[in-house]
Amino acid sequence: MGAETENTTWPLPKFHFTVDFGAERTNISFQEVSGLETDTQVIEIRNGDSPILKMPGSAKFGHVIMKRGMFPNNSDFSEWINQMNTGTITTANIIVKLIDENGNASCQWQLNNA
């Protein structure tokens, strides 16, 4: 059996997310982010004998859930989460980036006033 020259990385690389919570709390890593979907309701309109027209209605947004976060050197993020647990809610514009195995953002989502 000959030696293989194929360059493989083990363990296999995994996709992960980095999240910016406003300008102060940036590059916080999470293994999983879900709920980044929207659903637009359909409004049906009929005017007399004309066919039914379908128009886009209001949009519904999913509940965004972030799991297995890593923020060891960001005490400001921990304090912000603790403030929310005591009832002080501060919103922020949030940017969620899907990071590939090379460390580059392959796509991103922006959540305004979240």
Side-chain angles (χ1 to χ4, degrees):
M1 208 155 90
E4 292 188 28
T5 59
E6 183 179 345
N7 184 11
T8 59
T9 303
W10 190 261
L12 294 174
K14 212 176 171 182
F15 285 90
H16 69 280
F17 298 85
T18 61
V19 182
D20 297 342
F21 295 89
E24 302 83 31
R25 300 173 269 309
T26 59
N27 290 322
I28 299 178
S29 295
F30 290 89
Q31 279 189 352
E32 183 180 339
V33 177
S34 62
L36 295 170
E37 67 268 350
T38 60
D39 183 29
T40 304
Q41 296 177 345
V42 177
I43 299 173
E44 295 183 352
I45 300 173
R46 183 178 198 135
N47 191 2
D49 290 344
S50 65
I52 296 174
L53 296 175
K54 295 188 178 192
M55 305 284 290
S58 60
K60 286 184 171 183
F61 301 97
H63 295 278
V64 177
I65 299 170
M66 299 173 195
K67 293 182 179 178
R68 293 183 288 284
M70 297 292 294
F71 41 93
N73 297 324
N74 196 328
S75 63
D76 182 51
F77 182 73
S78 298
E79 290 173 15
W80 184 56
I81 294 297
N82 288 335
Q83 286 176 356
M84 283 192 278
N85 289 335
T86 60
T88 304
I89 306 296
T90 305
T91 61
N93 291 333
I94 298 173
I95 297 176
V96 178
K97 298 175 193 169
L98 176 62
I99 306 300
D100 64 14
E101 66 273 5
N102 296 321
N104 301 316
S106 59
C107 62
Q108 72 178 29
W109 298 262
Q110 182 167 336
L111 313 173
N112 294 323
N113 201 26

